Amino acid sequence: YQDGWEAWFKLKSKGIFCFLNQAIFFYRQHQKSLSKDSKKLLSSRNDIITKIRTNQQGSYKPSCLAIIPVRESFPGFEGIPYLKIKGKSMLQLAIESAQMANNITEVAVTSSAKVLKFSKKLVGKSNISEHLLIKRPEHLIDTELNPREIMLHAGEFYFQKYKKYPDIMTFLNLHTPLRQPKHINSAIDT
């Protein structure tokens, strides 16, 4: 029914794990292998993760930082965060959907000072409450989006504020304005 995830979680509770950047075992596949059916595989993993979270979590709710990386402009596309859809800016829609998602405990907008100033002004509009405003260093603003570096930067900012790292971090792309809280919750749960 499962592809090893539950076994790995059980083993993790028994000892210390480390990352090895090499294959240490192989597995066989056949036509009826779970990995051949992506829908069944994701459903199975979701069931396992839900079971493990329920068993381990108790009353603990994992902290989940939603990071919204924002660039003000792209070649040929100016002022993206300020563009309006149904009377709301793209940035407002992104923050709202993140803050309404049950699995998100903190939202962070990471960008330039100008975008952060705009983001701060959104507080109190519609359903938007306070959120983290993270000014990115220049080398993370003007270059191609570097998700790993932006995520590390946001994680360190979170650590400085709360003296711990979030249990989960997720990127929420500004360019998906029709995303709903249920989509975010589903993505985190799977």
Short mmCIF file of all heavy atoms in Angstrom, two decimals, residues 22-86:
data_model
loop_
_atom_site.label_atom_id
_atom_site.label_comp_id
_atom_site.label_asym_id
_atom_site.label_seq_id
_atom_site.Cartn_x
_atom_site.Cartn_y
_atom_site.Cartn_z
N GLN A 22 24.01 10.07 -2.74
CA GLN A 22 24.27 8.94 -3.63
C GLN A 22 23.20 7.88 -3.40
O GLN A 22 22.59 7.82 -2.34
CB GLN A 22 25.66 8.35 -3.37
CG GLN A 22 25.84 7.76 -1.98
CD GLN A 22 27.27 7.29 -1.74
OE1 GLN A 22 28.21 7.90 -2.21
NE2 GLN A 22 27.42 6.21 -1.01
N ALA A 23 22.99 7.05 -4.41
CA ALA A 23 22.01 5.97 -4.29
C ALA A 23 22.59 4.90 -3.37
O ALA A 23 23.74 4.46 -3.55
CB ALA A 23 21.71 5.39 -5.66
N ILE A 24 21.82 4.47 -2.39
CA ILE A 24 22.31 3.43 -1.48
C ILE A 24 21.48 2.14 -1.60
O ILE A 24 21.82 1.13 -1.04
CB ILE A 24 22.33 3.91 -0.01
CG1 ILE A 24 20.95 4.38 0.43
CG2 ILE A 24 23.38 4.98 0.19
CD1 ILE A 24 20.85 4.66 1.93
N PHE A 25 20.37 2.22 -2.32
CA PHE A 25 19.60 1.01 -2.62
C PHE A 25 18.76 1.25 -3.86
O PHE A 25 18.57 2.38 -4.28
CB PHE A 25 18.73 0.58 -1.43
CG PHE A 25 17.63 1.55 -1.09
CD1 PHE A 25 16.38 1.43 -1.69
CD2 PHE A 25 17.83 2.56 -0.17
CE1 PHE A 25 15.36 2.32 -1.38
CE2 PHE A 25 16.82 3.45 0.15
CZ PHE A 25 15.58 3.33 -0.46
N PHE A 26 18.30 0.19 -4.43
CA PHE A 26 17.43 0.25 -5.60
C PHE A 26 16.18 -0.56 -5.31
O PHE A 26 16.18 -1.41 -4.42
CB PHE A 26 18.14 -0.33 -6.83
CG PHE A 26 19.36 0.44 -7.22
CD1 PHE A 26 20.61 0.08 -6.74
CD2 PHE A 26 19.27 1.53 -8.06
CE1 PHE A 26 21.74 0.79 -7.08
CE2 PHE A 26 20.39 2.26 -8.41
CZ PHE A 26 21.63 1.89 -7.92
N TYR A 27 15.11 -0.31 -6.03
CA TYR A 27 13.91 -1.10 -5.87
C TYR A 27 13.39 -1.48 -7.24
O TYR A 27 13.66 -0.81 -8.23
CB TYR A 27 12.85 -0.38 -5.04
CG TYR A 27 12.31 0.89 -5.66
CD1 TYR A 27 11.12 0.88 -6.38
CD2 TYR A 27 12.98 2.10 -5.51
CE1 TYR A 27 10.62 2.04 -6.95
CE2 TYR A 27 12.48 3.27 -6.07
CZ TYR A 27 11.30 3.22 -6.78
OH TYR A 27 10.80 4.37 -7.35
N ARG A 28 12.66 -2.57 -7.28
CA ARG A 28 12.15 -3.02 -8.57
C ARG A 28 10.78 -2.40 -8.83
O ARG A 28 10.06 -2.06 -7.92
CB ARG A 28 12.09 -4.54 -8.63
CG ARG A 28 11.07 -5.15 -7.72
CD ARG A 28 11.08 -6.69 -7.86
NE ARG A 28 10.08 -7.24 -6.96
CZ ARG A 28 8.81 -7.43 -7.27
NH1 ARG A 28 8.38 -7.10 -8.47
NH2 ARG A 28 7.96 -7.94 -6.41
N GLN A 29 10.47 -2.26 -10.09
CA GLN A 29 9.16 -1.78 -10.50
C GLN A 29 8.53 -2.81 -11.43
O GLN A 29 9.22 -3.46 -12.20
CB GLN A 29 9.28 -0.46 -11.26
CG GLN A 29 9.47 0.74 -10.40
CD GLN A 29 9.34 2.01 -11.24
OE1 GLN A 29 9.89 2.12 -12.31
NE2 GLN A 29 8.58 2.97 -10.73
N HIS A 30 7.23 -2.90 -11.33
CA HIS A 30 6.47 -3.73 -12.25
C HIS A 30 5.19 -2.98 -12.58
O HIS A 30 4.93 -1.90 -12.05
CB HIS A 30 6.20 -5.13 -11.66
CG HIS A 30 5.62 -5.11 -10.28
ND1 HIS A 30 4.28 -4.90 -10.03
CD2 HIS A 30 6.22 -5.24 -9.07
CE1 HIS A 30 4.08 -4.92 -8.74
NE2 HIS A 30 5.23 -5.12 -8.13
N GLN A 31 4.38 -3.53 -13.46
CA GLN A 31 3.19 -2.83 -13.93
C GLN A 31 2.24 -2.42 -12.82
O GLN A 31 1.56 -1.42 -12.92
CB GLN A 31 2.44 -3.68 -14.96
CG GLN A 31 3.17 -3.82 -16.28
CD GLN A 31 3.38 -2.48 -16.96
OE1 GLN A 31 4.10 -1.62 -16.46
NE2 GLN A 31 2.75 -2.30 -18.10
N LYS A 32 2.17 -3.19 -11.75
CA LYS A 32 1.25 -2.89 -10.66
C LYS A 32 1.92 -2.11 -9.52
O LYS A 32 1.33 -1.93 -8.46
CB LYS A 32 0.62 -4.17 -10.12
CG LYS A 32 -0.28 -4.85 -11.14
CD LYS A 32 -0.96 -6.06 -10.57
CE LYS A 32 -1.85 -6.71 -11.62
NZ LYS A 32 -2.51 -7.89 -11.11
N SER A 33 3.15 -1.66 -9.74
CA SER A 33 3.86 -0.88 -8.71
C SER A 33 3.09 0.40 -8.40
O SER A 33 2.53 1.03 -9.29
CB SER A 33 5.26 -0.49 -9.20
OG SER A 33 6.11 -1.60 -9.25
N LEU A 34 3.10 0.76 -7.13
CA LEU A 34 2.43 1.98 -6.70
C LEU A 34 2.98 3.20 -7.43
O LEU A 34 2.24 4.11 -7.79
CB LEU A 34 2.59 2.15 -5.18
CG LEU A 34 1.88 3.31 -4.52
CD1 LEU A 34 0.37 3.21 -4.73
CD2 LEU A 34 2.20 3.33 -3.04
N SER A 35 4.28 3.20 -7.69
CA SER A 35 4.90 4.36 -8.34
C SER A 35 4.49 4.52 -9.81
O SER A 35 4.77 5.54 -10.42
CB SER A 35 6.43 4.28 -8.24
OG SER A 35 6.90 3.09 -8.83
N LYS A 36 3.80 3.56 -10.37
CA LYS A 36 3.29 3.67 -11.74
C LYS A 36 1.96 4.43 -11.80
O LYS A 36 1.55 4.86 -12.86
CB LYS A 36 3.09 2.28 -12.35
CG LYS A 36 4.36 1.50 -12.56
CD LYS A 36 5.05 1.96 -13.80
CE LYS A 36 6.24 1.06 -14.09
NZ LYS A 36 6.96 1.49 -15.24
N ASP A 37 1.30 4.58 -10.65
CA ASP A 37 0.00 5.26 -10.59
C ASP A 37 0.15 6.50 -9.70
O ASP A 37 0.04 6.42 -8.48
CB ASP A 37 -1.05 4.30 -10.03
CG ASP A 37 -2.45 4.88 -9.99
OD1 ASP A 37 -2.61 6.12 -10.13
OD2 ASP A 37 -3.40 4.09 -9.82
N SER A 38 0.41 7.66 -10.32
CA SER A 38 0.73 8.86 -9.54
C SER A 38 -0.42 9.29 -8.62
O SER A 38 -0.18 9.75 -7.51
CB SER A 38 1.14 10.01 -10.46
OG SER A 38 0.09 10.36 -11.32
N LYS A 39 -1.67 9.15 -9.07
CA LYS A 39 -2.79 9.54 -8.20
C LYS A 39 -2.85 8.66 -6.97
O LYS A 39 -3.04 9.13 -5.85
CB LYS A 39 -4.11 9.47 -8.96
CG LYS A 39 -4.30 10.60 -9.95
CD LYS A 39 -5.66 10.54 -10.61
CE LYS A 39 -5.78 11.68 -11.61
NZ LYS A 39 -7.05 11.65 -12.32
N LYS A 40 -2.69 7.36 -7.15
CA LYS A 40 -2.73 6.42 -6.03
C LYS A 40 -1.52 6.65 -5.10
O LYS A 40 -1.63 6.60 -3.89
CB LYS A 40 -2.76 4.99 -6.54
CG LYS A 40 -3.05 3.97 -5.47
CD LYS A 40 -3.24 2.59 -6.07
CE LYS A 40 -3.49 1.58 -4.97
NZ LYS A 40 -3.63 0.23 -5.50
N LEU A 41 -0.37 6.94 -5.71
CA LEU A 41 0.84 7.20 -4.94
C LEU A 41 0.67 8.43 -4.05
O LEU A 41 0.95 8.39 -2.85
CB LEU A 41 2.04 7.40 -5.88
CG LEU A 41 3.36 7.76 -5.22
CD1 LEU A 41 3.88 6.61 -4.39
CD2 LEU A 41 4.38 8.14 -6.29
N LEU A 42 0.19 9.55 -4.63
CA LEU A 42 -0.01 10.76 -3.84
C LEU A 42 -1.08 10.56 -2.76
O LEU A 42 -0.93 11.04 -1.63
CB LEU A 42 -0.37 11.93 -4.74
CG LEU A 42 0.76 12.45 -5.62
CD1 LEU A 42 0.25 13.52 -6.57
CD2 LEU A 42 1.91 12.98 -4.78
N SER A 43 -2.13 9.85 -3.09
CA SER A 43 -3.17 9.56 -2.11
C SER A 43 -2.62 8.73 -0.95
O SER A 43 -2.89 9.00 0.22
CB SER A 43 -4.33 8.84 -2.78
OG SER A 43 -5.29 8.46 -1.83
N SER A 44 -1.81 7.73 -1.30
CA SER A 44 -1.20 6.88 -0.28
C SER A 44 -0.26 7.68 0.62
O SER A 44 -0.29 7.56 1.85
CB SER A 44 -0.43 5.74 -0.96
OG SER A 44 0.26 4.97 -0.03
N ARG A 45 0.57 8.51 0.02
CA ARG A 45 1.49 9.35 0.81
C ARG A 45 0.72 10.32 1.69
O ARG A 45 1.10 10.56 2.84
CB ARG A 45 2.45 10.10 -0.11
CG ARG A 45 3.50 9.19 -0.69
CD ARG A 45 4.49 9.96 -1.53
NE ARG A 45 5.50 9.04 -2.06
CZ ARG A 45 6.38 9.37 -2.98
NH1 ARG A 45 6.40 10.60 -3.45
NH2 ARG A 45 7.25 8.49 -3.41
N ASN A 46 -0.35 10.89 1.18
CA ASN A 46 -1.16 11.80 1.97
C ASN A 46 -1.74 11.08 3.18
O ASN A 46 -1.75 11.61 4.29
CB ASN A 46 -2.28 12.41 1.11
CG ASN A 46 -3.04 13.49 1.84
OD1 ASN A 46 -2.47 14.22 2.64
ND2 ASN A 46 -4.32 13.58 1.58
N ASP A 47 -2.25 9.86 2.98
CA ASP A 47 -2.78 9.07 4.10
C ASP A 47 -1.71 8.80 5.15
O ASP A 47 -1.96 8.91 6.35
CB ASP A 47 -3.35 7.73 3.60
CG ASP A 47 -4.60 7.88 2.75
OD1 ASP A 47 -5.21 8.99 2.76
OD2 ASP A 47 -4.96 6.91 2.06
N ILE A 48 -0.52 8.46 4.69
CA ILE A 48 0.59 8.17 5.62
C ILE A 48 0.99 9.42 6.40
O ILE A 48 1.14 9.39 7.62
CB ILE A 48 1.81 7.59 4.84
CG1 ILE A 48 1.47 6.21 4.30
CG2 ILE A 48 3.04 7.55 5.74
CD1 ILE A 48 2.43 5.72 3.23
N ILE A 49 1.15 10.53 5.70
CA ILE A 49 1.54 11.78 6.35
C ILE A 49 0.48 12.22 7.35
O ILE A 49 0.79 12.64 8.47
CB ILE A 49 1.84 12.88 5.31
CG1 ILE A 49 3.13 12.53 4.56
CG2 ILE A 49 1.96 14.25 5.96
CD1 ILE A 49 3.41 13.37 3.34
N THR A 50 -0.79 12.11 6.98
CA THR A 50 -1.88 12.47 7.89
C THR A 50 -1.85 11.59 9.13
O THR A 50 -1.98 12.08 10.26
CB THR A 50 -3.25 12.35 7.17
OG1 THR A 50 -3.24 13.25 6.06
CG2 THR A 50 -4.40 12.69 8.11
N LYS A 51 -1.65 10.29 8.95
CA LYS A 51 -1.58 9.35 10.08
C LYS A 51 -0.40 9.69 11.00
O LYS A 51 -0.55 9.76 12.22
CB LYS A 51 -1.43 7.92 9.55
CG LYS A 51 -1.27 6.87 10.62
CD LYS A 51 -1.08 5.50 9.98
CE LYS A 51 -0.63 4.49 11.00
NZ LYS A 51 -0.28 3.21 10.36
N ILE A 52 0.75 9.93 10.41
CA ILE A 52 1.94 10.25 11.20
C ILE A 52 1.76 11.57 11.94
O ILE A 52 2.05 11.69 13.12
CB ILE A 52 3.20 10.28 10.31
CG1 ILE A 52 3.53 8.88 9.83
CG2 ILE A 52 4.39 10.91 11.03
CD1 ILE A 52 4.54 8.82 8.71
N ARG A 53 1.25 12.58 11.23
CA ARG A 53 1.03 13.88 11.86
C ARG A 53 0.05 13.77 13.03
O ARG A 53 0.27 14.32 14.09
CB ARG A 53 0.52 14.89 10.84
CG ARG A 53 0.40 16.28 11.44
CD ARG A 53 -0.05 17.33 10.49
NE ARG A 53 -0.39 16.77 9.20
CZ ARG A 53 -0.85 17.44 8.19
NH1 ARG A 53 -1.03 18.71 8.28
NH2 ARG A 53 -1.14 16.88 7.04
N THR A 54 -1.02 13.03 12.83
CA THR A 54 -2.02 12.85 13.89
C THR A 54 -1.40 12.14 15.09
O THR A 54 -1.62 12.53 16.24
CB THR A 54 -3.23 12.05 13.36
OG1 THR A 54 -3.78 12.76 12.26
CG2 THR A 54 -4.28 11.88 14.43
N ASN A 55 -0.61 11.09 14.83
CA ASN A 55 0.00 10.33 15.93
C ASN A 55 1.07 11.12 16.67
O ASN A 55 1.21 11.01 17.88
CB ASN A 55 0.61 9.03 15.40
CG ASN A 55 -0.44 8.04 14.96
OD1 ASN A 55 -1.61 8.14 15.34
ND2 ASN A 55 -0.05 7.08 14.15
N GLN A 56 1.86 11.90 15.94
CA GLN A 56 2.96 12.62 16.56
C GLN A 56 2.58 14.00 17.07
O GLN A 56 3.18 14.51 18.00
CB GLN A 56 4.12 12.77 15.56
CG GLN A 56 4.78 11.48 15.23
CD GLN A 56 5.94 11.67 14.27
OE1 GLN A 56 6.10 12.72 13.67
NE2 GLN A 56 6.74 10.64 14.12
N GLN A 57 1.60 14.58 16.46
CA GLN A 57 1.30 15.98 16.72
C GLN A 57 0.62 16.21 18.06
O GLN A 57 0.94 17.15 18.77
CB GLN A 57 0.42 16.50 15.58
CG GLN A 57 0.14 17.96 15.60
CD GLN A 57 -0.59 18.37 14.32
OE1 GLN A 57 -0.31 17.87 13.26
NE2 GLN A 57 -1.52 19.26 14.46
N GLY A 58 -0.36 15.38 18.40
CA GLY A 58 -1.13 15.64 19.60
C GLY A 58 -1.76 17.02 19.49
O GLY A 58 -2.41 17.32 18.52
N SER A 59 -1.48 17.86 20.45
CA SER A 59 -2.03 19.22 20.40
C SER A 59 -1.09 20.19 19.69
O SER A 59 -1.41 21.36 19.54
CB SER A 59 -2.29 19.71 21.83
OG SER A 59 -1.08 19.78 22.54
N TYR A 60 0.07 19.70 19.25
CA TYR A 60 1.05 20.56 18.59
C TYR A 60 0.64 20.81 17.14
O TYR A 60 0.36 19.89 16.39
CB TYR A 60 2.43 19.90 18.62
CG TYR A 60 3.49 20.69 17.89
CD1 TYR A 60 4.01 21.85 18.44
CD2 TYR A 60 3.95 20.29 16.65
CE1 TYR A 60 4.98 22.58 17.78
CE2 TYR A 60 4.92 21.01 15.98
CZ TYR A 60 5.43 22.15 16.55
OH TYR A 60 6.38 22.87 15.89
N LYS A 61 0.60 22.06 16.76
CA LYS A 61 0.35 22.43 15.37
C LYS A 61 1.67 22.87 14.77
O LYS A 61 2.29 23.82 15.24
CB LYS A 61 -0.67 23.56 15.27
CG LYS A 61 -0.98 23.93 13.83
CD LYS A 61 -2.00 25.03 13.71
CE LYS A 61 -2.24 25.33 12.24
NZ LYS A 61 -3.17 26.41 12.03
N PRO A 62 2.13 22.18 13.72
CA PRO A 62 3.40 22.57 13.11
C PRO A 62 3.36 24.01 12.60
O PRO A 62 2.34 24.46 12.07
CB PRO A 62 3.55 21.60 11.94
CG PRO A 62 2.56 20.52 12.16
CD PRO A 62 1.49 21.08 13.03
N SER A 63 4.46 24.73 12.77
CA SER A 63 4.53 26.09 12.23
C SER A 63 4.81 25.98 10.73
O SER A 63 5.62 25.18 10.29
CB SER A 63 5.63 26.88 12.93
OG SER A 63 6.88 26.24 12.79
N CYS A 64 4.09 26.76 9.97
CA CYS A 64 4.24 26.74 8.52
C CYS A 64 4.36 28.17 8.01
O CYS A 64 3.42 28.95 8.12
CB CYS A 64 3.06 26.03 7.87
SG CYS A 64 3.22 25.94 6.07
N LEU A 65 5.51 28.48 7.47
CA LEU A 65 5.78 29.81 6.92
C LEU A 65 5.52 29.80 5.43
O LEU A 65 6.15 29.06 4.67
CB LEU A 65 7.23 30.19 7.20
CG LEU A 65 7.73 31.50 6.57
CD1 LEU A 65 6.94 32.69 7.10
CD2 LEU A 65 9.22 31.68 6.82
N ALA A 66 4.55 30.61 5.00
CA ALA A 66 4.28 30.79 3.57
C ALA A 66 5.10 31.98 3.09
O ALA A 66 4.94 33.09 3.60
CB ALA A 66 2.80 31.04 3.33
N ILE A 67 5.98 31.75 2.16
CA ILE A 67 6.85 32.80 1.63
C ILE A 67 6.31 33.22 0.27
O ILE A 67 6.15 32.41 -0.63
CB ILE A 67 8.29 32.28 1.48
CG1 ILE A 67 8.81 31.79 2.83
CG2 ILE A 67 9.20 33.36 0.90
CD1 ILE A 67 10.07 30.96 2.74
N ILE A 68 6.02 34.51 0.15
CA ILE A 68 5.56 35.07 -1.13
C ILE A 68 6.71 35.91 -1.68
O ILE A 68 6.92 37.04 -1.25
CB ILE A 68 4.29 35.91 -0.95
CG1 ILE A 68 3.18 35.08 -0.29
CG2 ILE A 68 3.83 36.47 -2.30
CD1 ILE A 68 1.96 35.87 0.10
N PRO A 69 7.50 35.34 -2.60
CA PRO A 69 8.60 36.10 -3.19
C PRO A 69 8.05 37.03 -4.27
O PRO A 69 7.32 36.60 -5.15
CB PRO A 69 9.51 35.02 -3.78
CG PRO A 69 8.59 33.89 -4.08
CD PRO A 69 7.45 33.98 -3.09
N VAL A 70 8.37 38.31 -4.19
CA VAL A 70 7.78 39.27 -5.11
C VAL A 70 8.87 40.07 -5.82
O VAL A 70 9.74 40.65 -5.17
CB VAL A 70 6.84 40.25 -4.36
CG1 VAL A 70 6.21 41.24 -5.33
CG2 VAL A 70 5.77 39.49 -3.58
N ARG A 71 8.77 40.10 -7.14
CA ARG A 71 9.57 41.02 -7.95
C ARG A 71 8.61 42.05 -8.49
O ARG A 71 7.52 41.73 -8.94
CB ARG A 71 10.26 40.30 -9.10
CG ARG A 71 11.49 39.54 -8.64
CD ARG A 71 12.21 38.88 -9.78
NE ARG A 71 12.79 39.87 -10.69
CZ ARG A 71 13.49 39.53 -11.75
NH1 ARG A 71 13.69 38.28 -12.05
NH2 ARG A 71 13.99 40.47 -12.53
N GLU A 72 9.04 43.30 -8.46
CA GLU A 72 8.15 44.36 -8.91
C GLU A 72 7.89 44.31 -10.41
O GLU A 72 6.78 44.54 -10.87
CB GLU A 72 8.71 45.72 -8.52
CG GLU A 72 7.75 46.83 -8.81
CD GLU A 72 8.22 48.16 -8.28
OE1 GLU A 72 9.39 48.30 -7.88
OE2 GLU A 72 7.40 49.08 -8.28
N SER A 73 8.92 43.96 -11.14
CA SER A 73 8.78 43.98 -12.60
C SER A 73 9.60 42.88 -13.24
O SER A 73 10.58 42.41 -12.67
CB SER A 73 9.24 45.33 -13.16
OG SER A 73 8.46 46.37 -12.64
N PHE A 74 9.17 42.50 -14.42
CA PHE A 74 9.90 41.58 -15.28
C PHE A 74 10.01 42.27 -16.63
O PHE A 74 9.20 43.15 -16.94
CB PHE A 74 9.12 40.26 -15.43
CG PHE A 74 9.02 39.47 -14.17
CD1 PHE A 74 7.97 39.69 -13.28
CD2 PHE A 74 9.97 38.51 -13.86
CE1 PHE A 74 7.87 38.96 -12.11
CE2 PHE A 74 9.88 37.77 -12.68
CZ PHE A 74 8.83 38.01 -11.82
N PRO A 75 10.96 41.89 -17.47
CA PRO A 75 11.05 42.52 -18.79
C PRO A 75 9.71 42.42 -19.52
O PRO A 75 9.16 41.34 -19.71
CB PRO A 75 12.14 41.70 -19.50
CG PRO A 75 12.97 41.15 -18.38
CD PRO A 75 12.01 40.90 -17.25
N GLY A 76 9.17 43.57 -19.86
CA GLY A 76 7.89 43.62 -20.56
C GLY A 76 6.66 43.60 -19.66
O GLY A 76 5.54 43.75 -20.13
N PHE A 77 6.86 43.38 -18.37
CA PHE A 77 5.75 43.35 -17.41
C PHE A 77 6.13 44.22 -16.21
O PHE A 77 6.93 43.83 -15.38
CB PHE A 77 5.47 41.93 -16.94
CG PHE A 77 5.03 41.01 -18.02
CD1 PHE A 77 5.94 40.17 -18.65
CD2 PHE A 77 3.71 40.97 -18.44
CE1 PHE A 77 5.55 39.32 -19.66
CE2 PHE A 77 3.31 40.12 -19.44
CZ PHE A 77 4.23 39.29 -20.06
N GLU A 78 5.54 45.38 -16.13
CA GLU A 78 5.86 46.32 -15.06
C GLU A 78 4.79 46.29 -13.97
O GLU A 78 3.61 46.10 -14.26
CB GLU A 78 5.98 47.74 -15.62
CG GLU A 78 7.03 47.91 -16.70
CD GLU A 78 8.44 47.60 -16.22
OE1 GLU A 78 8.78 48.00 -15.09
OE2 GLU A 78 9.18 46.95 -16.96
N GLY A 79 5.19 46.48 -12.73
CA GLY A 79 4.26 46.65 -11.62
C GLY A 79 3.37 45.46 -11.33
O GLY A 79 2.20 45.63 -10.94
N ILE A 80 3.88 44.27 -11.46
CA ILE A 80 3.09 43.04 -11.28
C ILE A 80 2.34 42.99 -9.94
O ILE A 80 1.15 42.71 -9.91
CB ILE A 80 3.98 41.78 -11.43
CG1 ILE A 80 4.63 41.73 -12.80
CG2 ILE A 80 3.20 40.51 -11.12
CD1 ILE A 80 3.70 41.49 -13.94
N PRO A 81 2.98 43.27 -8.80
CA PRO A 81 2.25 43.13 -7.53
C PRO A 81 1.07 44.08 -7.38
O PRO A 81 0.17 43.84 -6.59
CB PRO A 81 3.30 43.40 -6.45
CG PRO A 81 4.52 43.85 -7.13
CD PRO A 81 4.36 43.66 -8.60
N TYR A 82 1.08 45.16 -8.17
CA TYR A 82 0.04 46.18 -8.03
C TYR A 82 -1.12 45.98 -9.02
O TYR A 82 -2.15 46.64 -8.89
CB TYR A 82 0.63 47.58 -8.26
CG TYR A 82 1.99 47.76 -7.60
CD1 TYR A 82 3.13 47.96 -8.37
CD2 TYR A 82 2.12 47.70 -6.22
CE1 TYR A 82 4.38 48.11 -7.77
CE2 TYR A 82 3.37 47.84 -5.62
CZ TYR A 82 4.49 48.04 -6.40
OH TYR A 82 5.71 48.18 -5.81
N LEU A 83 -0.95 45.09 -9.99
CA LEU A 83 -2.00 44.84 -10.97
C LEU A 83 -3.26 44.35 -10.26
O LEU A 83 -3.19 43.55 -9.33
CB LEU A 83 -1.56 43.80 -11.99
CG LEU A 83 -0.45 44.21 -12.95
CD1 LEU A 83 -0.07 43.05 -13.86
CD2 LEU A 83 -0.86 45.41 -13.77
N LYS A 84 -4.42 44.81 -10.71
CA LYS A 84 -5.66 44.47 -10.03
C LYS A 84 -6.47 43.44 -10.81
O LYS A 84 -6.56 43.49 -12.02
CB LYS A 84 -6.50 45.71 -9.77
CG LYS A 84 -5.81 46.64 -8.79
CD LYS A 84 -6.77 47.58 -8.14
CE LYS A 84 -6.01 48.36 -7.08
NZ LYS A 84 -6.85 48.97 -6.13
N ILE A 85 -7.04 42.54 -10.05
CA ILE A 85 -7.98 41.55 -10.55
C ILE A 85 -9.19 41.62 -9.64
O ILE A 85 -9.06 41.46 -8.41
CB ILE A 85 -7.37 40.13 -10.53
CG1 ILE A 85 -6.18 40.06 -11.47
CG2 ILE A 85 -8.43 39.09 -10.88
CD1 ILE A 85 -5.46 38.74 -11.46
N LYS A 86 -10.34 41.91 -10.20
CA LYS A 86 -11.58 42.05 -9.43
C LYS A 86 -11.41 43.03 -8.26
O LYS A 86 -11.85 42.79 -7.14
CB LYS A 86 -12.05 40.69 -8.91
CG LYS A 86 -12.42 39.73 -10.02
CD LYS A 86 -12.95 38.43 -9.47
CE LYS A 86 -13.29 37.50 -10.61
NZ LYS A 86 -13.77 36.21 -10.15
#
